[in-house]
Amino acid sequence: MITIIVPIFNSENFLEKCLESILAQTYKDLKIILVNDGSNDRSKDICNAYAKIDSRIKLIHKNNEGVSAARNDALKVAKGEYVGFVDSDDWIDPKMYENLYKLIRSTDSDISVCGYKTRLNSSINGKIDYFTIEDNKEKINILIKNNQVGGYLWNKLFSMDIIKKNGMSLFDENIYFCEDLLYTSQLFMESKSVSVTTASYYNYITHGNNSTSYTYSKSKLTALLALQQIIDKFQDSINGGLELYKDLFMHINISLLMNGMKQKKLDKKTTLYLKKNLFRYNLLDLKSYKIKLSCLICRINLRLHYIIWNNFYGK
């Protein structure tokens, strides 16, 4: 049996299409856990209506505590051999879980992965193929290096064995950005192998121009904590080789500094923290020349980097 976990918060405009796509799966041995995380729109009513028409649906209604807490509550009651995650504003192709199940079983892997489609990428191009990864360095780096694999939860099927091995509640509820990358990286490194199909079965919805990625907020600082945990935990076991994660850490750190300065939202303590992070890694540990250069200029003269950044990227 596969358990599908759907955290829900104010998704009334998308939820029915999401749930219809899950109920339409050609793989029928499903348990579907809907976690209504304190929605104040019609999401609760929609969940209740669907639970009445399909006995495979289990409902959890709770006060709003965030997506990580919602996923953890579902994991505590999840059963079966495998678990998958679907975001409530997305939908999935009818054969997604059947094909991910076939892939994970035929390759004797702990995790199977498929590609995804967006409005900008609406078709599967070329011959559908798959590959299997066993090397730890390759497993950890593909989460950043290959965008179709990514550190997302929703395009993957996980063996329940490796989740139980790590404890049923792995999401850090104090991390609000990159929490899925942190979770996925731990399971990837715990797995004996990961199998990836080039077919795109997941439909990911992007909203607007995603302008929030260019704004500063204190909650985004937790992305740095997530990346730091990954680097500290795995760099010794794979003899380094986490330059991509260090690049991402430094990119986010500099972005938070620049946007925080522009929006005048940085307090003294946060400014000191972000400035200190500029020296966390040796420049030789970074892979991207652009990030190396940005980091170097920030170290020498933060105001100069801000002027350059504001002229080219800040407008």
mmCIF file of all heavy atoms in Angstrom, residues 27 81-82 97-113 129-134 157 192-197 201:
data_model
loop_
_atom_site.group_PDB
_atom_site.id
_atom_site.type_symbol
_atom_site.label_atom_id
_atom_site.label_comp_id
_atom_site.label_asym_id
_atom_site.label_seq_id
_atom_site.Cartn_x
_atom_site.Cartn_y
_atom_site.Cartn_z
ATOM 1 N N TYR A 27 -3.111 3.080 -9.823
ATOM 2 C CA TYR A 27 -2.710 2.281 -8.663
ATOM 3 C C TYR A 27 -3.743 2.552 -7.569
ATOM 4 O O TYR A 27 -3.882 3.683 -7.097
ATOM 5 C CB TYR A 27 -1.309 2.662 -8.193
ATOM 6 C CG TYR A 27 -0.789 1.786 -7.072
ATOM 7 C CD1 TYR A 27 -0.027 0.663 -7.354
ATOM 8 C CD2 TYR A 27 -1.070 2.083 -5.745
ATOM 9 C CE1 TYR A 27 0.444 -0.162 -6.335
ATOM 10 C CE2 TYR A 27 -0.606 1.274 -4.725
ATOM 11 C CZ TYR A 27 0.149 0.153 -5.020
ATOM 12 O OH TYR A 27 0.597 -0.651 -4.009
ATOM 13 N N GLU A 81 3.759 0.274 2.713
ATOM 14 C CA GLU A 81 5.169 0.087 2.357
ATOM 15 C C GLU A 81 5.831 1.370 1.855
ATOM 16 O O GLU A 81 7.048 1.521 1.964
ATOM 17 C CB GLU A 81 5.291 -0.970 1.262
ATOM 18 C CG GLU A 81 4.873 -2.368 1.655
ATOM 19 C CD GLU A 81 4.982 -3.315 0.486
ATOM 20 O OE1 GLU A 81 4.021 -3.405 -0.297
ATOM 21 O OE2 GLU A 81 6.047 -3.961 0.343
ATOM 22 N N TYR A 82 5.027 2.276 1.299
ATOM 23 C CA TYR A 82 5.602 3.463 0.660
ATOM 24 C C TYR A 82 4.775 4.697 1.009
ATOM 25 O O TYR A 82 3.595 4.604 1.360
ATOM 26 C CB TYR A 82 5.644 3.285 -0.861
ATOM 27 C CG TYR A 82 6.410 2.054 -1.291
ATOM 28 C CD1 TYR A 82 5.743 0.878 -1.629
ATOM 29 C CD2 TYR A 82 7.807 2.061 -1.329
ATOM 30 C CE1 TYR A 82 6.447 -0.260 -2.004
ATOM 31 C CE2 TYR A 82 8.521 0.930 -1.708
ATOM 32 C CZ TYR A 82 7.829 -0.218 -2.038
ATOM 33 O OH TYR A 82 8.530 -1.341 -2.389
ATOM 34 N N TYR A 97 1.677 7.116 -9.669
ATOM 35 C CA TYR A 97 2.076 6.208 -8.588
ATOM 36 C C TYR A 97 2.192 4.764 -9.042
ATOM 37 O O TYR A 97 3.000 4.005 -8.494
ATOM 38 C CB TYR A 97 1.130 6.364 -7.398
ATOM 39 C CG TYR A 97 1.485 7.582 -6.574
ATOM 40 C CD1 TYR A 97 0.692 8.722 -6.596
ATOM 41 C CD2 TYR A 97 2.659 7.620 -5.826
ATOM 42 C CE1 TYR A 97 1.040 9.856 -5.872
ATOM 43 C CE2 TYR A 97 3.019 8.741 -5.103
ATOM 44 C CZ TYR A 97 2.208 9.852 -5.124
ATOM 45 O OH TYR A 97 2.569 10.971 -4.425
ATOM 46 N N GLU A 98 1.456 4.377 -10.048
ATOM 47 C CA GLU A 98 1.643 3.031 -10.601
ATOM 48 C C GLU A 98 3.052 2.888 -11.173
ATOM 49 O O GLU A 98 3.755 1.899 -10.917
ATOM 50 C CB GLU A 98 0.614 2.747 -11.689
ATOM 51 C CG GLU A 98 0.794 1.368 -12.343
ATOM 52 C CD GLU A 98 -0.174 1.100 -13.468
ATOM 53 O OE1 GLU A 98 -1.111 1.889 -13.674
ATOM 54 O OE2 GLU A 98 0.019 0.074 -14.162
ATOM 55 N N ASN A 99 3.483 3.904 -11.926
ATOM 56 C CA ASN A 99 4.805 3.824 -12.553
ATOM 57 C C ASN A 99 5.938 4.019 -11.550
ATOM 58 O O ASN A 99 6.993 3.376 -11.670
ATOM 59 C CB ASN A 99 4.899 4.850 -13.684
ATOM 60 C CG ASN A 99 4.039 4.475 -14.881
ATOM 61 O OD1 ASN A 99 3.710 3.299 -15.062
ATOM 62 N ND2 ASN A 99 3.661 5.447 -15.679
ATOM 63 N N LEU A 100 5.754 4.885 -10.565
ATOM 64 C CA LEU A 100 6.779 5.019 -9.527
ATOM 65 C C LEU A 100 6.885 3.743 -8.699
ATOM 66 O O LEU A 100 7.985 3.343 -8.298
ATOM 67 C CB LEU A 100 6.457 6.213 -8.616
ATOM 68 C CG LEU A 100 6.730 7.607 -9.185
ATOM 69 C CD1 LEU A 100 6.336 8.672 -8.174
ATOM 70 C CD2 LEU A 100 8.196 7.775 -9.586
ATOM 71 N N TYR A 101 5.748 3.092 -8.454
ATOM 72 C CA TYR A 101 5.754 1.822 -7.724
ATOM 73 C C TYR A 101 6.476 0.740 -8.528
ATOM 74 O O TYR A 101 7.318 0.001 -7.987
ATOM 75 C CB TYR A 101 4.321 1.392 -7.428
ATOM 76 C CG TYR A 101 4.210 0.035 -6.763
ATOM 77 C CD1 TYR A 101 4.452 -0.117 -5.396
ATOM 78 C CD2 TYR A 101 3.862 -1.090 -7.506
ATOM 79 C CE1 TYR A 101 4.361 -1.361 -4.795
ATOM 80 C CE2 TYR A 101 3.767 -2.340 -6.906
ATOM 81 C CZ TYR A 101 4.015 -2.465 -5.553
ATOM 82 O OH TYR A 101 3.930 -3.701 -4.957
ATOM 83 N N LYS A 102 6.178 0.639 -9.810
ATOM 84 C CA LYS A 102 6.846 -0.350 -10.662
ATOM 85 C C LYS A 102 8.350 -0.103 -10.699
ATOM 86 O O LYS A 102 9.149 -1.047 -10.656
ATOM 87 C CB LYS A 102 6.270 -0.304 -12.073
ATOM 88 C CG LYS A 102 4.875 -0.883 -12.202
ATOM 89 C CD LYS A 102 4.379 -0.784 -13.635
ATOM 90 C CE LYS A 102 2.994 -1.407 -13.793
ATOM 91 N NZ LYS A 102 2.488 -1.263 -15.181
ATOM 92 N N LEU A 103 8.736 1.164 -10.773
ATOM 93 C CA LEU A 103 10.158 1.511 -10.849
ATOM 94 C C LEU A 103 10.885 1.155 -9.554
ATOM 95 O O LEU A 103 11.967 0.559 -9.580
ATOM 96 C CB LEU A 103 10.316 3.001 -11.152
ATOM 97 C CG LEU A 103 11.743 3.544 -11.268
ATOM 98 C CD1 LEU A 103 12.511 2.822 -12.364
ATOM 99 C CD2 LEU A 103 11.728 5.057 -11.528
ATOM 100 N N ILE A 104 10.300 1.507 -8.410
ATOM 101 C CA ILE A 104 10.967 1.256 -7.138
ATOM 102 C C ILE A 104 11.081 -0.237 -6.864
ATOM 103 O O ILE A 104 12.055 -0.706 -6.269
ATOM 104 C CB ILE A 104 10.226 1.990 -5.985
ATOM 105 C CG1 ILE A 104 11.162 2.238 -4.795
ATOM 106 C CG2 ILE A 104 8.986 1.240 -5.538
ATOM 107 C CD1 ILE A 104 10.563 3.150 -3.723
ATOM 108 N N ARG A 105 10.087 -1.000 -7.324
ATOM 109 C CA ARG A 105 10.104 -2.456 -7.113
ATOM 110 C C ARG A 105 11.053 -3.153 -8.082
ATOM 111 O O ARG A 105 11.815 -4.045 -7.691
ATOM 112 C CB ARG A 105 8.694 -3.022 -7.269
ATOM 113 C CG ARG A 105 7.687 -2.497 -6.277
ATOM 114 C CD ARG A 105 7.852 -3.087 -4.903
ATOM 115 N NE ARG A 105 7.450 -4.474 -4.842
ATOM 116 C CZ ARG A 105 7.374 -5.201 -3.731
ATOM 117 N NH1 ARG A 105 7.659 -4.630 -2.569
ATOM 118 N NH2 ARG A 105 7.009 -6.449 -3.750
ATOM 119 N N SER A 106 11.029 -2.758 -9.331
ATOM 120 C CA SER A 106 11.848 -3.444 -10.339
ATOM 121 C C SER A 106 13.336 -3.193 -10.150
ATOM 122 O O SER A 106 14.171 -4.014 -10.538
ATOM 123 C CB SER A 106 11.424 -3.010 -11.746
ATOM 124 O OG SER A 106 11.682 -1.626 -11.949
ATOM 125 N N THR A 107 13.690 -2.063 -9.544
ATOM 126 C CA THR A 107 15.103 -1.733 -9.331
ATOM 127 C C THR A 107 15.562 -2.031 -7.903
ATOM 128 O O THR A 107 16.724 -1.816 -7.583
ATOM 129 C CB THR A 107 15.353 -0.239 -9.629
ATOM 130 O OG1 THR A 107 14.505 0.560 -8.801
ATOM 131 C CG2 THR A 107 15.085 0.067 -11.100
ATOM 132 N N ASP A 108 14.622 -2.488 -7.070
ATOM 133 C CA ASP A 108 14.915 -2.767 -5.657
ATOM 134 C C ASP A 108 15.546 -1.541 -4.995
ATOM 135 O O ASP A 108 16.522 -1.635 -4.253
ATOM 136 C CB ASP A 108 15.838 -3.986 -5.522
ATOM 137 C CG ASP A 108 15.942 -4.477 -4.072
ATOM 138 O OD1 ASP A 108 14.967 -4.293 -3.327
ATOM 139 O OD2 ASP A 108 17.002 -5.016 -3.706
ATOM 140 N N SER A 109 14.966 -0.363 -5.274
ATOM 141 C CA SER A 109 15.459 0.892 -4.703
ATOM 142 C C SER A 109 14.634 1.272 -3.479
ATOM 143 O O SER A 109 13.574 0.697 -3.219
ATOM 144 C CB SER A 109 15.381 2.016 -5.745
ATOM 145 O OG SER A 109 16.228 1.749 -6.849
ATOM 146 N N ASP A 110 15.120 2.261 -2.741
ATOM 147 C CA ASP A 110 14.380 2.788 -1.601
ATOM 148 C C ASP A 110 13.550 4.011 -1.971
ATOM 149 O O ASP A 110 12.623 4.387 -1.257
ATOM 150 C CB ASP A 110 15.342 3.174 -0.474
ATOM 151 C CG ASP A 110 16.025 1.957 0.142
ATOM 152 O OD1 ASP A 110 15.310 1.001 0.489
ATOM 153 O OD2 ASP A 110 17.256 1.984 0.268
ATOM 154 N N ILE A 111 13.917 4.642 -3.086
ATOM 155 C CA ILE A 111 13.235 5.860 -3.523
ATOM 156 C C ILE A 111 13.130 5.835 -5.049
ATOM 157 O O ILE A 111 14.085 5.467 -5.737
ATOM 158 C CB ILE A 111 14.013 7.123 -3.098
ATOM 159 C CG1 ILE A 111 14.203 7.165 -1.575
ATOM 160 C CG2 ILE A 111 13.301 8.398 -3.575
ATOM 161 C CD1 ILE A 111 15.183 8.235 -1.108
ATOM 162 N N SER A 112 11.963 6.216 -5.575
ATOM 163 C CA SER A 112 11.829 6.426 -7.016
ATOM 164 C C SER A 112 11.399 7.872 -7.254
ATOM 165 O O SER A 112 10.712 8.474 -6.428
ATOM 166 C CB SER A 112 10.833 5.450 -7.648
ATOM 167 O OG SER A 112 9.559 5.545 -7.035
ATOM 168 N N VAL A 113 11.814 8.415 -8.397
ATOM 169 C CA VAL A 113 11.635 9.841 -8.690
ATOM 170 C C VAL A 113 11.151 9.997 -10.119
ATOM 171 O O VAL A 113 11.610 9.289 -11.026
ATOM 172 C CB VAL A 113 12.966 10.614 -8.530
ATOM 173 C CG1 VAL A 113 12.756 12.112 -8.704
ATOM 174 C CG2 VAL A 113 13.632 10.308 -7.193
ATOM 175 N N ASP A 129 13.239 7.252 -20.183
ATOM 176 C CA ASP A 129 14.264 6.330 -19.717
ATOM 177 C C ASP A 129 14.347 6.442 -18.204
ATOM 178 O O ASP A 129 13.673 7.246 -17.581
ATOM 179 C CB ASP A 129 15.602 6.688 -20.367
ATOM 180 C CG ASP A 129 16.555 5.497 -20.403
ATOM 181 O OD1 ASP A 129 16.226 4.451 -19.811
ATOM 182 O OD2 ASP A 129 17.629 5.641 -21.009
ATOM 183 N N TYR A 130 15.196 5.610 -17.602
ATOM 184 C CA TYR A 130 15.427 5.723 -16.163
ATOM 185 C C TYR A 130 16.882 5.400 -15.861
ATOM 186 O O TYR A 130 17.589 4.777 -16.660
ATOM 187 C CB TYR A 130 14.486 4.801 -15.370
ATOM 188 C CG TYR A 130 14.879 3.343 -15.369
ATOM 189 C CD1 TYR A 130 15.738 2.841 -14.392
ATOM 190 C CD2 TYR A 130 14.397 2.473 -16.342
ATOM 191 C CE1 TYR A 130 16.110 1.512 -14.389
ATOM 192 C CE2 TYR A 130 14.759 1.141 -16.341
ATOM 193 C CZ TYR A 130 15.615 0.663 -15.360
ATOM 194 O OH TYR A 130 15.993 -0.656 -15.366
ATOM 195 N N PHE A 131 17.339 5.845 -14.689
ATOM 196 C CA PHE A 131 18.684 5.507 -14.230
ATOM 197 C C PHE A 131 18.637 5.344 -12.726
ATOM 198 O O PHE A 131 17.754 5.867 -12.042
ATOM 199 C CB PHE A 131 19.710 6.573 -14.645
ATOM 200 C CG PHE A 131 19.384 7.969 -14.193
ATOM 201 C CD1 PHE A 131 19.866 8.462 -12.980
ATOM 202 C CD2 PHE A 131 18.603 8.803 -14.991
ATOM 203 C CE1 PHE A 131 19.568 9.746 -12.572
ATOM 204 C CE2 PHE A 131 18.304 10.103 -14.581
ATOM 205 C CZ PHE A 131 18.791 10.581 -13.368
ATOM 206 N N THR A 132 19.593 4.583 -12.205
ATOM 207 C CA THR A 132 19.655 4.292 -10.779
ATOM 208 C C THR A 132 20.973 4.800 -10.213
ATOM 209 O O THR A 132 22.026 4.667 -10.836
ATOM 210 C CB THR A 132 19.520 2.782 -10.511
ATOM 211 O OG1 THR A 132 18.254 2.343 -11.015
ATOM 212 C CG2 THR A 132 19.594 2.462 -9.026
ATOM 213 N N ILE A 133 20.898 5.416 -9.026
ATOM 214 C CA ILE A 133 22.072 6.000 -8.377
ATOM 215 C C ILE A 133 22.338 5.270 -7.068
ATOM 216 O O ILE A 133 21.427 5.107 -6.245
ATOM 217 C CB ILE A 133 21.856 7.495 -8.070
ATOM 218 C CG1 ILE A 133 21.363 8.233 -9.311
ATOM 219 C CG2 ILE A 133 23.123 8.128 -7.536
ATOM 220 C CD1 ILE A 133 20.828 9.618 -8.999
ATOM 221 N N GLU A 134 23.588 4.857 -6.874
ATOM 222 C CA GLU A 134 23.977 4.202 -5.630
ATOM 223 C C GLU A 134 25.054 4.978 -4.882
ATOM 224 O O GLU A 134 25.159 4.886 -3.662
ATOM 225 C CB GLU A 134 24.476 2.786 -5.917
ATOM 226 C CG GLU A 134 23.391 1.866 -6.482
ATOM 227 C CD GLU A 134 23.899 0.461 -6.750
ATOM 228 O OE1 GLU A 134 25.133 0.248 -6.649
ATOM 229 O OE2 GLU A 134 23.081 -0.415 -7.056
ATOM 230 N N LEU A 157 8.623 8.796 -4.503
ATOM 231 C CA LEU A 157 7.989 7.748 -3.712
ATOM 232 C C LEU A 157 9.057 7.180 -2.792
ATOM 233 O O LEU A 157 10.109 6.740 -3.246
ATOM 234 C CB LEU A 157 7.429 6.651 -4.616
ATOM 235 C CG LEU A 157 6.640 5.530 -3.919
ATOM 236 C CD1 LEU A 157 5.386 6.085 -3.247
ATOM 237 C CD2 LEU A 157 6.272 4.443 -4.926
ATOM 238 N N LYS A 192 19.790 2.794 -0.088
ATOM 239 C CA LYS A 192 20.818 2.021 -0.782
ATOM 240 C C LYS A 192 20.914 2.436 -2.244
ATOM 241 O O LYS A 192 21.979 2.392 -2.855
ATOM 242 C CB LYS A 192 20.536 0.514 -0.663
ATOM 243 C CG LYS A 192 19.246 0.022 -1.257
ATOM 244 C CD LYS A 192 19.118 -1.498 -1.076
ATOM 245 C CE LYS A 192 17.790 -2.020 -1.631
ATOM 246 N NZ LYS A 192 16.634 -1.620 -0.817
ATOM 247 N N SER A 193 19.765 2.857 -2.823
ATOM 248 C CA SER A 193 19.776 3.350 -4.196
ATOM 249 C C SER A 193 18.519 4.169 -4.459
ATOM 250 O O SER A 193 17.494 4.015 -3.786
ATOM 251 C CB SER A 193 19.860 2.194 -5.208
ATOM 252 O OG SER A 193 18.722 1.357 -5.121
ATOM 253 N N VAL A 194 18.631 5.048 -5.464
ATOM 254 C CA VAL A 194 17.528 5.899 -5.895
ATOM 255 C C VAL A 194 17.363 5.705 -7.397
ATOM 256 O O VAL A 194 18.342 5.768 -8.145
ATOM 257 C CB VAL A 194 17.825 7.385 -5.601
ATOM 258 C CG1 VAL A 194 16.709 8.273 -6.158
ATOM 259 C CG2 VAL A 194 18.015 7.617 -4.107
ATOM 260 N N SER A 195 16.130 5.472 -7.844
ATOM 261 C CA SER A 195 15.864 5.298 -9.271
ATOM 262 C C SER A 195 15.055 6.469 -9.797
ATOM 263 O O SER A 195 14.080 6.897 -9.168
ATOM 264 C CB SER A 195 15.121 3.987 -9.528
ATOM 265 O OG SER A 195 15.971 2.887 -9.265
ATOM 266 N N VAL A 196 15.466 6.976 -10.959
ATOM 267 C CA VAL A 196 14.873 8.186 -11.528
ATOM 268 C C VAL A 196 14.364 7.900 -12.931
ATOM 269 O O VAL A 196 15.098 7.350 -13.760
ATOM 270 C CB VAL A 196 15.912 9.325 -11.591
ATOM 271 C CG1 VAL A 196 15.287 10.590 -12.172
ATOM 272 C CG2 VAL A 196 16.513 9.590 -10.215
ATOM 273 N N THR A 197 13.109 8.242 -13.199
ATOM 274 C CA THR A 197 12.590 8.179 -14.564
ATOM 275 C C THR A 197 12.557 9.579 -15.156
ATOM 276 O O THR A 197 12.284 10.563 -14.443
ATOM 277 C CB THR A 197 11.177 7.562 -14.612
ATOM 278 O OG1 THR A 197 10.689 7.610 -15.967
ATOM 279 C CG2 THR A 197 10.206 8.290 -13.703
ATOM 280 N N TYR A 201 5.407 13.152 -14.542
ATOM 281 C CA TYR A 201 4.055 12.765 -14.139
ATOM 282 C C TYR A 201 3.409 13.758 -13.177
ATOM 283 O O TYR A 201 2.215 13.661 -12.910
ATOM 284 C CB TYR A 201 4.076 11.387 -13.461
ATOM 285 C CG TYR A 201 4.591 10.267 -14.325
ATOM 286 C CD1 TYR A 201 5.647 9.462 -13.901
ATOM 287 C CD2 TYR A 201 4.023 10.000 -15.570
ATOM 288 C CE1 TYR A 201 6.123 8.428 -14.682
ATOM 289 C CE2 TYR A 201 4.494 8.972 -16.369
ATOM 290 C CZ TYR A 201 5.546 8.181 -15.919
ATOM 291 O OH TYR A 201 6.023 7.158 -16.706
#
